[in-house]
């Protein structure tokens, strides 16, 4: 044996040993996985590779007609229980399997399309159209619909879509599954099937707890805070579905006021005196929150506002005006990059001079950025100097910054789509940390004039025209 051979041999032996060990481990994992399935019938919560075939068989069992529809639905119930017991990683694998292996049969689809294209004029194509319709229905859609056999099956699918949405951003192959799921939920949660319910302090505690948990605009800090929002001069309305009776889908908080409110801290102040309802003439919608992440993109918020307006008009004849007090969540998101690169083109000559003097900075944009990072709102002198500048910038942002022809700000887009008008921009209307971070403390009133809602809606949706008051337009 040569010296070279002596050197190589140990390495070769070590390599063979490693391969043998790896082979044994793989075999053992397969055996242990099979043994687990044989004994318990359950898959592991992380859904390892050796469990995927078993899960695929379960999914196929939901589709075949052996034993009839009742058996198939019972198997779907078992499949649902499996999903609920999986970890996040396991659920991602489950959804990928459902998306990849139970997609549309495109060979069959192409044959149906070809048959319709080649059909003669005399031939009845109704059957061919039905064949095409069936070919466009993916097997996974059948499985998804069968999940309503689960206890709380509607909620199960809503939560499954909530799990799916973040994954779609990373994996485009899941888009087909997301489309199927959204289509099913859109039909099941049609606004005509929803019940408008007023929530009061006497409502079940479980419902009140969910209102606290789901509040997305102005955090509820305590039960006393919640009670204040349900007082005599307040209203909370929510949409419910009869298949999810204990789960609000979307809800709105309303304050009954004399005149249009311009400060959210005043509305939320637990120590403020109650408004005499008989003297109230305005309903202020100050918070609208979607409660189910899995229903994102399935819009019924606009119907909620219209239903509440109709209900209040009938029940409280003294209420003549309907307005929001809304956040401007993306104002500083739009403004910060401009300030960061020192873009002074967003200011006029007078504003540039004012900001340079106020901030002692050679660049007005950089100077404003530094101010907004501190507690500028507590200094009356600085606050009054910034007021006309920031108010004008907000007016510009709401009126002119667009995504194609839609308002860039999502809250603005929501209310403008519903036919509202931009009524007033309110200075230091929300001085909470969140309000200052989002919009430098500014808020906006969107006004619902019942006689102009339809025209405003048409103008905005078709032409991107935004209705605004003379005061708001004057800021520009």
């Amino acid at each position: 044996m040569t010296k070279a051979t002596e050197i190589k041999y140990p390495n070769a032996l070590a390599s063979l040993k490693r391969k043998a060990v790896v082979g044994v481990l793989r075999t053992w994992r397969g055996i242990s996985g099979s043994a687990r399935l044989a004994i318990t019938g359950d898959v592991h919560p992380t859904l390892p590779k050796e469990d995927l075939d078993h899960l695929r068989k379960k999914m196929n069992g939901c589709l075949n007609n052996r034993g009839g529809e009742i058996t198939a639905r019972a198997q779907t119930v078992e499949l649902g229980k499996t999903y609920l017991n999986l970890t996040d990683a396991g659920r991602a694998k489950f959804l990928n399997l459902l998306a990849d292996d139970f997609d549309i049969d495109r060979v069959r689809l192409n044959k149906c399309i070809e048959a319709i294209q080649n059909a003669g004029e005399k031939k009845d194509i109704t059957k061919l159209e039905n064949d095409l319709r069936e070919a466009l229905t993916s097997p996974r859609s059948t499985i998804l619909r069968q999940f309503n056999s689960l206890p709380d099956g509607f909620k199960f699918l809503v939560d499954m879509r909530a799990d799916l949405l973040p994954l779609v951003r990373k994996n485009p192959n899941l888009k087909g599954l997301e489309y199927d799921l959204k289509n099913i939920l859109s039909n099941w949660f049609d606004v005509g099937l929803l019940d408008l319910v007023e929530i009061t302090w006497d409502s079940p505690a479980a419902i009140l707890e969910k209102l606290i948990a789901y509040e997305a605009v102005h955090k509820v800090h305590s039960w006393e805070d919640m009670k204040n929002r349900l007082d005599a001069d307040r209203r909370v309305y929510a949409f419910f579905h009869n298949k999810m009776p204990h789960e609000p889908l979307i809800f709105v908080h309303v304050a009954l006021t004399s005149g249009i409110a311009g400060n959210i801290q005043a509305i939320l102040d637990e120590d403020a005196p109650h408004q005499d309802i008989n003297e109230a003439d305005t309903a202020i919608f100050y918070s609208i929150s979607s409660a189910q992440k899995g229903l994102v993109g399935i819009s019924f918020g606009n119907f909620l506002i219209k239903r509440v307006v109709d209900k209040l008009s009938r029940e409280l004849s003294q209420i003549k005006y309907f307005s929001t007090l809304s956040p401007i969540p993306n104002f500083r998101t739009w403004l910060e990059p401009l300030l960061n690169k020192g873009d002074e083109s967003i200011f006029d000559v007078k504003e540039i001079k004012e900001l340079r003097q106020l901030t002692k900075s050679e660049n007005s944009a950089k100077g404003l950025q530094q101010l907004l990072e501190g507690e500028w709102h507590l200094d009356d002198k600085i606050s009054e100097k910034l007021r006309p500048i920031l108010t004008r910038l907000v007016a510009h942002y709401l009126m002119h910054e667009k995504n194609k022809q839609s308002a860039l700000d999502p809250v603005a887009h929501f209310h403008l789509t519903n036919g509202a008008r931009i009524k007033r921009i309110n200075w230091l209307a929300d001085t909470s940390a969140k309000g200052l971070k989002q919009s430098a403390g500014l808020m906006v009133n969107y006004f619902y004039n019942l006689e102009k809602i339809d025209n405003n809606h048409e103008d905005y949706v078709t032409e991107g025209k935004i209705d605004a008051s003379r005061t708001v337009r004057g800021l520009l």
Side-chain angles (χ1 to χ4, degrees):
M1 183 181 293
T2 66
K3 191 172 183 180
T5 305
E6 290 176 356
I7 293 171
K8 290 179 180 178
Y9 179 76
N11 291 335
L13 182 60
S15 178
L16 286 172
K17 285 182 177 179
R18 280 198 301 272
K19 288 180 180 179
V21 170
V22 169
V24 169
L25 287 175
R26 284 176 178 169
T27 303
W28 173 248
R29 280 199 297 267
I31 293 172
S32 65
S34 300
R36 184 185 65 251
L37 289 171
I39 296 169
T40 68
D42 295 328
V43 300
H44 192 274
T46 60
L47 197 54
K49 186 177 180 180
E50 59 268 15
D51 286 359
L52 286 176
D53 282 340
H54 175 75
L55 186 60
R56 190 179 290 107
K57 289 177 183 177
K58 275 191 172 187
M59 290 180 177
N60 277 311
C62 299
L63 296 170
N64 64 47
N65 291 321
R66 296 175 187 173
E69 184 179 348
I70 293 177
T71 300
R73 287 184 176 271
Q75 289 176 313
T76 310
V77 170
E78 289 302 312
L79 191 63
K81 291 179 180 176
T82 297
Y83 181 82
L84 292 173
N85 287 328
L86 296 175
T87 62
D88 289 345
R91 291 185 180 188
K93 294 176 187 176
F94 181 107
L95 294 169
N96 274 287
L97 179 63
L98 197 58
D100 294 338
D101 287 28
F102 297 88
D103 196 3
I104 291 170
D105 183 344
R106 283 175 174 75
V107 173
R108 178 189 175 194
L109 177 61
N110 289 332
K111 287 181 179 179
C112 291
I113 293 172
E114 186 178 344
I116 289 178
Q117 289 174 336
N118 296 332
E121 292 182 5
K122 295 182 180 179
K123 188 170 184 179
D124 182 5
I125 65 168
T126 301
K127 182 181 183 307
L128 297 178
E129 290 173 342
N130 284 334
D131 290 342
L132 176 60
R133 192 175 293 110
E134 289 179 6
L136 284 167
T137 303
S138 63
R140 62 180 173 240
S141 293
T142 301
I143 297 174
L144 291 172
R145 287 189 177 90
Q146 288 177 352
F147 277 127
N148 65 15
S149 300
L150 282 167
D152 299 324
F154 275 46
K155 175 64 173 169
F156 174 86
L157 282 181
V158 170
D159 290 344
M160 176 181 275
R161 185 164 179 259
D163 293 339
L164 177 62
L165 286 172
L167 301 175
V168 174
R169 301 187 194 106
K170 302 175 184 177
N171 183 4
N173 292 334
L174 292 170
K175 284 185 177 179
L177 173 59
E178 198 279 318
Y179 175 84
D180 287 345
L181 196 45
K182 182 180 179 181
N183 188 48
I184 291 168
L185 293 175
S186 294
N187 291 328
W188 287 355
F189 287 90
D190 181 88
V191 69
L193 302 175
L194 306 183
D195 298 317
L196 181 67
V197 176
E198 181 179 352
I199 297 174
T200 70
W201 186 244
D202 295 324
S203 296
I207 298 293
L208 300 182
E209 286 176 347
K210 285 171 182 174
L211 250 62
I212 294 173
Y214 294 147
E215 172 60 36
V217 184
H218 303 294
K219 183 180 178 181
V220 180
H221 298 285
S222 64
W223 278 103
E224 282 302 313
D225 187 4
M226 186 75 252
K227 188 174 184 179
N228 180 58
R229 301 187 194 200
L230 296 169
D231 223 322
D233 56 347
R234 300 286 186 267
R235 298 288 187 275
V236 176
Y237 298 95
F239 268 150
F240 286 83
H241 193 288
N242 62 7
K243 292 290 187 179
M244 292 171 56
H246 306 300
E247 286 284 345
L249 307 180
I250 187 171
F251 56 93
V252 58
H253 287 262
V254 185
L256 305 176
T257 64
S258 180
I260 296 178
N263 185 283
I264 192 62
Q265 270 76 43
I267 286 179
L268 298 178
D269 184 0
E270 297 175 32
D271 298 321
H274 294 157
Q275 170 72 50
D276 185 341
I277 294 182
N278 294 320
E279 295 179 1
D281 61 3
T282 305
I284 299 290
F285 301 88
Y286 65 91
S287 175
I288 301 174
S289 297
S290 295
Q292 307 296 325
K293 292 180 180 178
L295 294 177
V296 169
I298 302 172
S299 178
F300 27 67
N302 51 345
F303 294 101
L304 175 63
I305 288 180
K306 289 172 183 176
R307 289 273 295 274
V308 171
V309 166
D310 180 64
K311 185 175 180 65
L312 288 172
S313 297
R314 286 186 284 106
E315 294 181 358
L316 300 171
S317 58
Q318 71 273 25
I319 302 297
K320 304 296 183 185
Y321 309 108
F322 299 90
S323 175
T324 74
L325 180 59
S326 299
I328 315 167
N330 287 358
F331 170 62
R332 284 193 63 181
T333 301
W334 164 78
L335 181 63
E336 284 298 326
L338 300 174
L339 300 182
N340 190 50
K341 65 181 181 181
D343 186 353
E344 294 188 303
S345 67
I346 60 175
F347 308 118
D348 61 31
V349 175
K350 181 182 177 182
E351 290 171 342
I352 291 174
K353 182 179 178 181
E354 191 80 60
L355 285 168
R356 286 179 179 176
Q357 291 177 347
L358 183 65
T359 63
K360 310 300 182 187
S361 173
E362 293 182 2
N363 183 282
S364 59
K366 292 284 189 180
L368 179 57
Q369 183 181 40
Q370 292 173 3
L371 275 181
L372 293 180
E373 291 172 355
E375 296 185 334
W376 59 272
H377 62 290
L378 300 178
D379 188 312
D380 292 341
K381 179 184 176 182
I382 294 176
S383 176
E384 283 307 305
K385 293 284 186 181
L386 293 184
R387 179 172 185 161
I389 300 172
L390 289 174
T391 305
R392 182 193 63 77
L393 285 172
V394 164
H396 166 84
Y397 168 71
L398 294 174
M399 295 286 294
H400 295 306
E401 292 300 322
K402 301 285 187 73
N403 178 12
K404 296 181 181 179
Q405 68 174 23
S406 301
L408 187 61
D409 189 81
V411 176
H413 175 66
F414 173 81
H415 289 294
L416 294 170
T417 300
N418 292 339
R421 147 187 260 211
I422 302 178
K423 176 70 173 177
R424 190 175 72 192
I425 295 170
N426 301 290
W427 178 245
L428 294 186
D430 183 4
T431 53
S432 67
K434 181 180 178 180
L436 291 167
K437 182 178 180 181
Q438 287 185 338
S439 61
L442 285 93
M443 299 186 78
V444 57
N445 298 120
Y446 296 103
F447 189 77
Y448 284 84
N449 184 332
L450 303 186
E451 295 178 358
K452 294 184 177 181
I453 282 179
D454 292 335
N455 289 338
N456 288 347
H457 165 78
E458 286 295 323
D459 289 344
Y460 178 71
V461 171
T462 59
E463 302 176 37
K465 288 177 61 177
I466 294 175
D467 185 26
S469 67
R470 185 179 300 176
T471 301
V472 172
R473 292 188 181 278
L475 294 170
L476 298 173

